[in-house]
Amino acid sequence: MGVLPDSVQKVIDAFEKLPGVGPKSAARMAYHFLRARNNDAINLANSLLTMDQNVVNCRDCFNVSETEVCSICDSPLRDTKQLCVVEDPLDVVAFENSGVYKGVYFVLGGVISPADGIGADELRFPELRMRVGNLTSKIRDHKSSGEMDVAVEFADNPTNKGCLELIIATNPNLEGEATAVYIQDLFRKEISEGTLHITRLAMGLPTGADLEYTDRLTLKRALEGRRAY
Amino acid sequence: MGVLPDSVQKVIDAFEKLPGVGPKSAARMAYHFLRARNNDAINLANSLLTMDQNVVNCRDCFNVSETEVCSICDSPLRDTKQLCVVEDPLDVVAFENSGVYKGVYFVLGGVISPADGIGADELRFPELRMRVGNLTSKIRDHKSSGEMDVAVEFADNPTNKGCLELIIATNPNLEGEATAVYIQDLFRKEISEGTLHITRLAMGLPTGADLEYTDRLTLKRALEGRRAY
């Protein structure tokens, strides 16, 4: 371009790589730092470097963490008989902020998406197998050790069958569904043996929805999933 | 929150300070770096630090620059009899990308906006006075030195009166208009002496506009500014 100093253009280019940032907003971001002339640019740079250095994937669930095992996997208060499979660390944040889930997670790292060139090999299915294996054997040991049946602790869980529950929480779109089917197939043996049962998040109307503007598929799913009062 | 590692939260906080970035997109940006696990985070950090170190304001026009005098002010090809006053460096980029302007610029650093607590003292009016003084005396010297009248060079400029033209290019909103009026007042003496004349960018219909959806004020301005074929 020539108009822009090289070092400014490089910042704009780096911002443009971010999701949802086009050339115009990237330029506005870069100039924000130049206009303000405070320490904002240095702060962002340093926090990026610190994050890059400190953050690892949790050994067990692959969520982002600053310790080898994340605070959720490490907590004695979490129900290790429920394993929620999500696509992304941000999905974990959504669940945690809602406060409605007390089990543990597994971050798959995406979904199967042939259109984006993401096959099953790109995702953490071997690690998921291992995680499921560890949790089911933990439940088995617990039972055979003669301690009070853990099922009592989680009596409020309607789907509790005394074995590990794998809750598939991929997004309700084509790729998410395909991935859910793939996971079910992956654990066919465990399901038939009764050491694992798989559930999927309910689909239907979101809170505050307007029937008039609801798409056909959502209506269909809401009808199929209707419940008695 | 506890859910998010500290170092991730700090990056999110830093992103949230950027214009047009809310908490959700800030989180998505931070996680983009964690998901990709390439050098994107380090690249952005380094380019921010380089920019912070290298970029200064041009001594003459206050545009961003990596040299004491920017490449526009330094160019012998620019018409120093036209001075375009803009709010921001990004406005310079817009003009330069259009390729329609060959004069020089002055970056005011904002507009008078009492609602945002920005008074005239916050803006570069003393520097603008100095810049106008320098350019007008340059024109005077040029004329008295008996060289070919510069007016010939810029004969295609319909508003060329052989003196410095100050083109006010603040945005066409309340604050931009108020600032334009302030600038006119600032140079009352020079205008009456004939060493400076002030113009304002035309207002009217933008290319591709639809009359049906054009607001009242734009229509009014388009009518007032109508021209003979």
Side-chain angles (χ1 to χ4, degrees):
Chain A
M1 302 246 300
V3 186
L4 288 172
D6 243 23
S7 57
V8 179
Q9 187 61 53
K10 278 197 182 123
V11 169
I12 295 177
D13 293 345
F15 273 128
E16 265 196 72
K17 291 192 179 171
L18 291 169
V21 178
K24 292 242 170 183
S25 16
R28 231 170 287 132
M29 287 174 185
Y31 277 97
H32 161 80
F33 293 119
L34 295 169
R35 186 200 262 213
R37 281 283 151 183
N38 47 25
N39 284 327
D40 279 6
I42 296 176
N43 282 347
L44 176 55
N46 286 339
S47 45
L48 281 167
L49 295 174
T50 309
M51 178 176 82
D52 193 78
Q53 214 153 43
N54 291 9
V55 172
V56 294
N57 287 118
C58 168
R59 185 196 66 193
D60 292 341
C61 73
F62 293 88
N63 192 6
V64 292
S65 170
E66 285 179 329
T67 46
E68 196 197 352
V69 176
C70 78
S71 58
I72 296 173
C73 288
D74 203 37
S75 164
L77 301 171
R78 309 296 298 220
D79 179 358
T80 53
K81 291 185 72 190
Q82 290 191 313
L83 181 63
C84 181
V85 179
V86 295
E87 300 179 17
D88 265 315
L90 280 178
D91 300 328
V92 175
V93 175
F95 269 109
E96 289 300 297
N97 284 344
S98 74
V100 295
Y101 179 66
K102 289 298 162 209
V104 290
Y105 298 94
F106 186 86
V107 177
L108 209 51
V111 277
I112 299 170
S113 171
D116 302 317
I118 301 173
D121 292 348
E122 257 81 28
L123 304 174
R124 301 194 184 104
F125 291 119
E127 291 87 347
L128 177 59
R129 285 208 69 93
M130 195 176 296
R131 180 74 167 142
V132 166
N134 288 341
L135 290 177
T136 49
S137 64
K138 193 173 156 190
I139 292 171
R140 202 169 42 236
D141 296 349
H142 202 253
K143 275 183 182 163
S144 61
S145 74
E147 289 177 39
M148 189 186 71
D149 192 330
V150 282
V152 179
E153 295 175 45
F154 310 114
D156 60 334
N157 172 11
T159 58
N160 183 16
K161 294 184 179 173
C163 69
L164 181 65
E165 178 185 2
L166 190 71
I167 304 167
I168 304 180
T170 51
N171 285 324
N173 53 29
L174 200 67
E175 292 81 13
E177 292 302 327
T179 308
V181 170
Y182 186 92
I183 294 173
Q184 252 176 320
D185 206 54
L186 199 66
F187 293 105
R188 212 181 306 162
K189 187 167 147 281
E190 287 82 353
I191 297 168
S192 66
E193 287 173 357
T195 56
L196 182 71
H197 77 123
I198 296 192
T199 57
R200 179 102 176 87
L201 289 188
M203 294 196 227
L205 300 168
T207 317
D210 193 331
L211 271 183
E212 188 181 339
Y213 298 111
T214 302
D215 66 290
R216 205 186 138 274
L217 198 60
T218 302
L219 267 189
K220 183 166 175 275
R221 294 250 162 88
L223 199 62
E224 286 169 357
R226 69 191 181 280
R227 300 195 304 179
Y229 259 113
Chain B
M1 300 242 306
V3 185
L4 289 172
D6 243 24
S7 57
V8 179
Q9 188 60 52
K10 279 198 181 121
V11 169
I12 295 177
D13 293 344
F15 274 127
E16 265 196 72
K17 291 190 179 174
L18 291 169
V21 179
K24 292 242 170 184
S25 17
R28 233 171 283 130
M29 288 174 182
Y31 277 97
H32 161 81
F33 293 118
L34 295 169
R35 186 199 261 212
R37 282 279 150 188
N38 47 25
N39 284 329
D40 278 6
I42 296 175
N43 282 347
L44 176 56
N46 287 338
S47 47
L48 281 167
L49 294 173
T50 309
M51 178 176 83
D52 192 77
Q53 213 153 45
N54 291 9
V55 172
V56 294
N57 287 119
C58 168
R59 185 196 63 193
D60 291 342
C61 74
F62 293 88
N63 192 6
V64 292
S65 169
E66 284 178 333
T67 46
E68 197 197 351
V69 176
C70 77
S71 57
I72 296 173
C73 288
D74 203 37
S75 165
L77 300 171
R78 309 295 299 220
D79 179 357
T80 52
K81 290 184 71 190
Q82 290 191 312
L83 181 63
C84 180
V85 179
V86 295
E87 300 179 18
D88 265 314
L90 280 178
D91 300 328
V92 175
V93 175
F95 269 108
E96 289 300 297
N97 284 343
S98 74
V100 294
Y101 179 67
K102 290 296 160 213
V104 290
Y105 298 94
F106 187 86
V107 178
L108 208 50
V111 277
I112 298 170
S113 170
D116 301 318
I118 301 172
D121 292 348
E122 257 82 29
L123 303 173
R124 301 194 184 105
F125 291 118
E127 292 87 347
L128 177 59
R129 285 208 69 94
M130 196 175 295
R131 180 71 168 143
V132 166
N134 288 341
L135 290 177
T136 48
S137 63
K138 193 174 156 190
I139 292 170
R140 200 170 44 236
D141 295 349
H142 202 254
K143 274 185 184 162
S144 60
S145 73
E147 290 177 38
M148 189 186 72
D149 194 329
V150 285
V152 179
E153 296 175 45
F154 311 114
D156 60 334
N157 172 8
T159 57
N160 183 14
K161 295 184 178 172
C163 68
L164 180 66
E165 178 185 2
L166 190 72
I167 304 167
I168 303 180
T170 51
N171 285 323
N173 52 30
L174 199 67
E175 292 81 12
E177 292 303 329
T179 307
V181 171
Y182 187 92
I183 293 173
Q184 251 175 320
D185 206 51
L186 200 65
F187 293 105
R188 213 181 306 162
K189 188 168 146 279
E190 287 82 353
I191 296 168
S192 66
E193 287 172 357
T195 56
L196 182 73
H197 76 123
I198 297 192
T199 57
R200 179 100 177 90
L201 289 187
M203 294 198 227
L205 301 169
T207 317
D210 193 330
L211 269 185
E212 188 182 339
Y213 298 111
T214 302
D215 66 289
R216 207 187 136 272
L217 198 59
T218 303
L219 266 188
K220 182 166 175 273
R221 294 251 162 87
L223 199 62
E224 286 169 357
R226 69 190 182 280
R227 299 197 301 181
Y229 258 112

